[in-house]
């Protein structure tokens, strides 16, 4: 995302190298056009009726938001599935998904950690973090988001993290074993316009994380209870998760550029064949802006400003085109 000097000396070659990286990024963004996002939401074993109902309700809440978002979405919700049913669905995706597609896996329920491995509690034999990581590795979609909202979910990070995968967990470690409420607020984030911090009619993984994290904190404060869960995010493939992802600690770059759900005008545009290509381009530019902001510290100020201005101008042009009414089809009222 950087650009440098204007000569053919050291600065000039640096510019060419950085320009090549910019071109590679643009190519990867263009490749995402018309990609499918596969959503798999799994509610686990509650252990008692209250938790069974709660986990099921949160999963259905998420499903409803995803189906309203428009676009090329493939939505699956599994309620208290067995290990084999989970394996079957993820194996199916390994055959259906393409490298340009995206995957969002959400786990809701109880988890456990014995100091060695994490387990997601389901009917019959539990599925481990190591097994989930292996199954996800076989899915070609290069953009992946895993939201593990269970108790002890922090213990799953080491098994799930990859350089191109965003991992969000409800707890900072495997030792936070109490039942969690993070899933409740993750579901809420996907339907509350307030979660859209930059007001671009899309909620990114980073925005949803911040929203759910804030609401979880407020829940414990309101209940006057000691917080027993502390959500973290990891998207570098090598960290333990950060409670405050930022450009300074290197976490959040992928999450900021990963739209989870569309709202309002974006959702409508995703359902309009005429406007869908414009929406795809708008999302590409917004993702490029998010990535550029994370790389600001390593750039010359004038080059950052130049690239940001170019992206913002193109974004404004695309938005203007999106705001225009679609042309009426023959025999249709305008």
């Amino acid at each position: 995302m950087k650009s440098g000097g204007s000569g053919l000396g050291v600065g000039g070659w640096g510019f060419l190298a950085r320009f090549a990286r910019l071109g590679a990024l643009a190519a990867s963004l263009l490749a995402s056009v018309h990609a499918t996002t596969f959503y798999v939401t799994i509610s686990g074993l509650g252990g008692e009726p209250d938790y069974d109902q709660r986990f099921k309700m949160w999963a259905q809440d998420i499903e409803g938001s995803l189906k309203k978002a428009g676009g090329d979405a493939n939505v699956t919700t599994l309620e208290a599935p067995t290990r084999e049913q989970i394996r079957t669905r993820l194996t199916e995706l390994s055959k259906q998904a393409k490298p340009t597609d995206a995957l969002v896996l959400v786990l809701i329920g109880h988890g456990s950690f014995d100091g060695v491995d994490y387990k997601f509690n389901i009917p019959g034999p539990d599925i481990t973090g190591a097994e989930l990581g292996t199954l996800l590795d076989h899915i070609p979609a290069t953009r992946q988001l895993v939201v593990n909202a269970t108790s002890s979910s922090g213990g799953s990070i080491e098994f799930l993290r990859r350089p191109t995968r965003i991992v969000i967990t409800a707890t900072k470690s495997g030792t936070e074993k109490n039942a969690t409420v993070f899933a409740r607020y993750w579901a809420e984030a996907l339907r509350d316009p307030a979660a859209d911090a930059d007001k671009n009619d899309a909620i990114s993984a980073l925005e949803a994380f911040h929203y759910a994290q804030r609401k979880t904190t407020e829940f414990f404060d309101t209940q006057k209870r000691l917080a027993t869960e502390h959500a973290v995010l990891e998207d570098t493939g090598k960290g333990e998760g950060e409670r405050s992802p930022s450009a300074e600690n290197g976490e959040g770059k992928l999450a900021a550029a990963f739209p989870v759900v569309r709202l309002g005008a974006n959702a409508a545009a995703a359902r309009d064949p005429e406007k869908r290509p414009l929406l795809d381009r708008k999302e590409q530019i917004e993702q490029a802006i998010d990535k550029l902001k994370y790389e600001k510290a390593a750039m010359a100020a004038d080059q950052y400003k130049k690239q940001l201005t170019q992206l913002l101008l193109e974004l404004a042009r695309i938005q203007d085109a999106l705001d225009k009414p679609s042309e009426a089809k023959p025999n249709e009222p305008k």
Side-chain angles (χ1 to χ4, degrees), residues 52-300:
D52 284 333
Q53 182 178 4
R54 192 179 307 178
F55 298 159
K56 180 180 178 180
M57 178 179 65
W58 293 341
Q60 291 175 344
D61 190 355
I62 292 172
E63 179 182 51
S65 296
L66 297 176
K67 288 185 174 179
K68 291 177 183 177
D72 297 325
N74 183 303
V75 181
T76 300
T77 302
L78 302 177
E79 297 174 0
T82 64
R83 175 173 170 268
E84 287 308 310
Q85 288 172 325
I86 295 174
R87 287 180 55 85
T88 296
R89 181 54 188 148
L90 295 182
T91 299
E92 288 172 350
L93 293 185
S94 71
K95 301 173 183 177
Q96 296 173 7
K98 304 182 298 296
T100 53
D101 292 333
L103 170 70
V104 179
L105 173 66
V106 180
L107 305 179
I108 301 171
H110 297 307
S112 63
F113 183 69
D114 61 5
V116 178
D117 203 356
Y118 162 87
K119 293 182 179 180
F120 178 43
N121 299 164
I122 50 177
D126 292 337
I127 191 165
T128 68
E131 186 171 11
L132 283 169
T134 299
L135 288 166
L136 293 173
D137 287 345
H138 285 94
I139 297 176
T142 52
R143 295 173 296 130
Q144 297 189 5
L145 165 64
V146 179
V147 182
N148 188 346
T150 73
S151 49
S152 298
S153 50
S156 68
I157 294 175
E158 64 175 301
F159 304 104
L160 299 176
R161 63 190 177 196
R162 298 291 185 273
T164 58
R165 183 182 298 150
I166 305 157
V167 180
I168 292 172
T169 61
T171 74
K172 64 182 179 181
S173 68
T175 58
E176 292 189 319
K177 300 180 178 181
N178 289 31
T180 60
V181 296
F182 185 84
R184 169 185 173 182
Y185 298 114
W186 178 267
E188 188 175 305
L190 302 189
R191 55 178 165 77
D192 188 349
D196 180 18
D198 59 8
K199 304 305 176 187
N200 69 340
D201 279 336
I203 297 173
S204 70
L206 186 61
E207 288 175 324
F209 169 77
H210 284 314
Y211 179 98
Q213 183 187 54
R214 182 177 70 255
K215 287 286 187 174
T216 299
T217 299
E218 291 174 359
F219 168 82
F220 284 100
D221 289 344
T222 301
Q223 297 291 318
K224 299 186 184 303
R225 293 166 49 187
L226 181 67
T228 55
E229 59 185 280
H230 301 84
V232 296
L233 183 151
E234 206 297 304
D235 65 353
T236 66
K238 56 187 178 182
E240 298 299 325
E242 286 284 345
R243 294 185 62 191
S244 301
S246 67
E248 286 70 30
N249 55 43
E251 298 283 3
K253 181 178 178 179
L254 295 182
F258 192 111
V260 182
V261 66
R262 300 182 181 92
L263 303 174
N266 276 11
R271 293 188 287 268
D272 185 337
E274 184 179 326
K275 290 190 173 183
R276 180 58 193 269
L278 289 170
L279 177 62
D280 289 335
R281 183 56 187 155
K282 176 190 175 184
E283 292 179 343
Q284 292 164 18
I285 298 168
E286 289 171 339
Q287 290 170 33
I289 291 172
D290 287 327
K291 291 177 182 293
L292 182 64
K293 289 178 179 178
Y294 263 79
E295 297 174 359
K296 179 180 179 180
M299 300 176 65

